[in-house]
Every structure is written in structure tokens, then in C-alpha cells.
Amino acid sequence: WLSESSYLTQKIDYIELSRPEPIPESIVVYVNQEAIHDWSYVEESNIVQLGFVPGYGAVVEVGYNVYVN
């Protein structure tokens, strides 16, 4: 499922996830519909930290599964 999608109007290097407790192994990240692997999940702040800064107008998408209690 697509959890987050962002059309960048400012330069940022992270995406804050809207759902708590994602399954880290399930996280996938796309920039302009291309899968990327230069990122890490930061559990303490529930963000995906990119290893680079996408350009203006880039579409960043993050998908993941969450634990269900």
C-alpha cells in the first residue's frame, strides 16, 4: 500500500510516516516512480531518512506494512 506521497516544493531529505510501528523490512521508497535504496528508517522519529536530497518537483513515495494488534 502507498502510505506517503509527496510532491516536493522544498528540498527535504526525509519523509515522516503517518502510521506508527511500520514493519521495517516492508518499507519501499520511490523517487519519480523509480525504486531507491539509499535510505534508512529512524524508529525514534518514525521517518524515512533519505541519503540524498531530491530535486524540486520530485515525487517521493513510501509504502509499508504495519503491525496489527
Side-chain angles (χ1 to χ4, degrees):
W1 90 349
L2 174 63
S3 171
E4 309 297 328
S5 182
S6 219
Y7 178 80
L8 298 181
T9 58
Q10 60 183 351
K11 290 189 174 188
I12 59 171
D13 65 350
Y14 68 93
I15 299 294
E16 186 174 344
L17 304 182
S18 61
R19 304 272 317 261
E21 298 187 41
I23 301 171
E25 300 80 28
S26 73
I27 299 173
V28 292
V29 180
Y30 297 91
V31 175
N32 295 329
Q33 299 180 336
E34 183 177 326
I36 64 162
H37 304 285
D38 187 9
W39 60 268
S40 59
Y41 172 62
V42 182
E43 184 176 357
E44 296 78 25
S45 52
N46 200 37
I47 64 169
V48 169
Q49 180 72 53
L50 302 175
F52 62 98
V53 177
Y56 289 113
V59 176
V60 179
E61 300 169 297
V62 179
Y64 56 91
N65 295 319
V66 295
Y67 291 106
V68 177
N69 296 333

